[in-house]
Amino acid sequence: RDYQDVEQVFRFFEVEDFVSYSDFDGLASSILKSGADVPNIREKFVQFLRGNTAAPRRGDNALNSLVSAVKNLVVSPPAPAPIRRKVLLLDEVDVFFSDAFYGQPYLPSELLHDADGGSVTGYNLLLHVWQRRGSLSKSKQSVAVLREHMLTKQLLSKFPNLAFLLEAELYRILDSVSQFPAGRAPRFRSGEDAYTLDAARGTIVYTDPRTHVPTEKLSYGYVTAFTYFYECDRGKFPPATFREAGQSSSKIGVLPVCGALSYSEIPRLYAFALGMTGTLD
């Protein structure tokens, strides 16, 4: 809507093909995807998980080994041809400088696709955890049970280097599903219950607590995945939307965090950065 309000101005100056409009998270995501200013860490991270580089060593130097392995994939892009200098215009700049953004990281995560268009194995693993959540807990015992499950082994066969991160990822999954005790209301944390359902599109839309604006781009990771299952069980989504084991899903699956980009670094990627606001006290 805001873009349309000033589209005629862009056309007057003949720059409409060079203007993009997004919220802060969308901007951070597009910067990472373009690979122009920083490496496309999502793509490189998935390459690493698929085994396109040596698995990290286990032991005292395992973390350093993992970082080195990923760095080997994140090569510097070729010198680009001369391009137009970029200008960043920040509306509601006081929101950008609030504690919710400035100094905080954007944490991109990547749904691990094992089929074109979505996740099958990861979806089935989360569905298994959801259906058996009454017998699972955030414990070493439950992590061990899931680690040895057939679905986890299928996932590792597609993403062998996920083995290094597997225990931490299983803990994240178990921590999230623990917020959905069987037969009782969910124990949502701050912001996680501020959503509406678009049943026709099978989508959960959160209200961003930082901007108070509804957005489909906001996700709470595995909590969001289990919220989809929760709403399916309540009949809020058609039964076949997410409930069929074996189907490919573009929303539900194993979702590791693959990096971080500080919001405060974003203006440094532009030749000029200007801010405006009409709500500053």
Side-chain angles (χ1 to χ4, degrees):
R1 184 195 65 190
D2 292 344
Y3 177 88
Q4 293 172 350
D5 288 344
V6 293
E7 185 176 6
Q8 291 185 350
V9 176
F10 299 148
R11 292 187 180 279
F12 178 82
F13 287 104
E14 299 181 348
V15 296
E16 67 274 13
D17 293 335
F18 305 100
V19 174
S20 60
Y21 193 97
S22 66
D23 56 22
F24 297 137
D25 284 345
L27 176 61
S29 179
S30 65
I31 289 172
L32 290 173
K33 285 182 179 179
S34 72
D37 298 296
V38 296
N40 187 337
I41 191 63
R42 296 176 188 270
E43 177 183 331
K44 303 302 180 182
F45 184 68
V46 173
Q47 287 179 20
F48 164 74
L49 294 182
R50 287 191 184 279
N52 294 354
T53 185
R57 301 185 306 272
R58 296 186 180 276
D60 293 339
N61 296 319
L63 180 58
N64 290 336
S65 181
L66 173 63
V67 172
S68 297
V70 175
K71 281 183 175 180
N72 288 337
L73 281 172
V74 182
V75 296
S76 299
I83 58 174
R84 301 167 66 98
R85 289 197 293 176
K86 297 183 296 182
V87 178
L88 177 64
L89 298 177
L90 288 171
D91 192 13
E92 305 293 348
V93 70
D94 54 315
V95 176
F96 180 76
F97 281 109
S98 69
D99 292 341
F101 286 101
Y102 200 76
Q104 299 299 321
Y106 171 72
L107 301 174
S109 55
E110 186 67 15
L111 183 70
L112 299 185
H113 290 181
D114 53 10
D116 291 340
S119 165
V120 176
T121 308
Y123 173 91
N124 288 341
L125 177 60
L126 293 191
L127 180 59
H128 170 79
V129 171
W130 173 256
Q131 292 174 336
R132 290 158 181 79
R133 65 192 185 279
S135 61
L136 297 171
S137 62
K138 191 176 65 173
S139 64
K140 290 184 178 180
Q141 291 79 6
S142 291
V143 168
V145 169
L146 289 180
R147 186 190 299 117
E148 297 303 316
H149 195 274
M150 173 190 66
L151 290 171
T152 304
K153 293 181 178 180
Q154 288 178 4
L155 188 67
L156 289 175
S157 71
K158 303 175 191 299
F159 302 94
N161 282 349
L162 181 62
F164 180 79
L165 308 171
L166 183 62
E167 184 170 336
E169 209 60 30
L170 292 177
Y171 267 114
R172 289 182 61 215
I173 292 171
L174 290 169
D175 178 57
S176 296
V177 81
S178 70
Q179 296 180 223
F180 298 84
R184 288 183 286 168
R187 298 192 291 261
F188 287 121
R189 296 162 186 164
S190 177
E192 295 171 349
D193 59 346
Y195 64 84
T196 59
L197 306 177
D198 185 338
R201 299 173 58 214
T203 300
I204 288 175
V205 180
Y206 287 101
T207 297
D208 192 326
R210 303 164 299 181
T211 62
H212 310 292
V213 175
T215 175
E216 294 184 13
K217 298 175 183 177
L218 180 62
S219 170
Y220 290 97
Y222 293 118
V223 171
T224 298
F226 292 127
T227 302
Y228 275 111
F229 288 142
Y230 170 72
E231 294 295 354
C232 279
D233 284 354
R234 298 176 66 208
K236 300 298 184 180
F237 287 128
T241 304
F242 304 108
R243 299 295 287 153
E244 297 297 329
Q247 81 172 53
S248 176
S249 173
S250 61
K251 295 183 174 70
I252 302 173
V254 174
L255 197 69
V257 174
C258 56
L261 175 63
S262 174
Y263 291 106
S264 62
E265 290 296 310
I266 291 177
R268 297 164 59 92
L269 304 177
Y270 293 80
F272 305 99
L274 303 173
M276 65 199 81
T277 182
T279 57
L280 189 61
D281 292 333

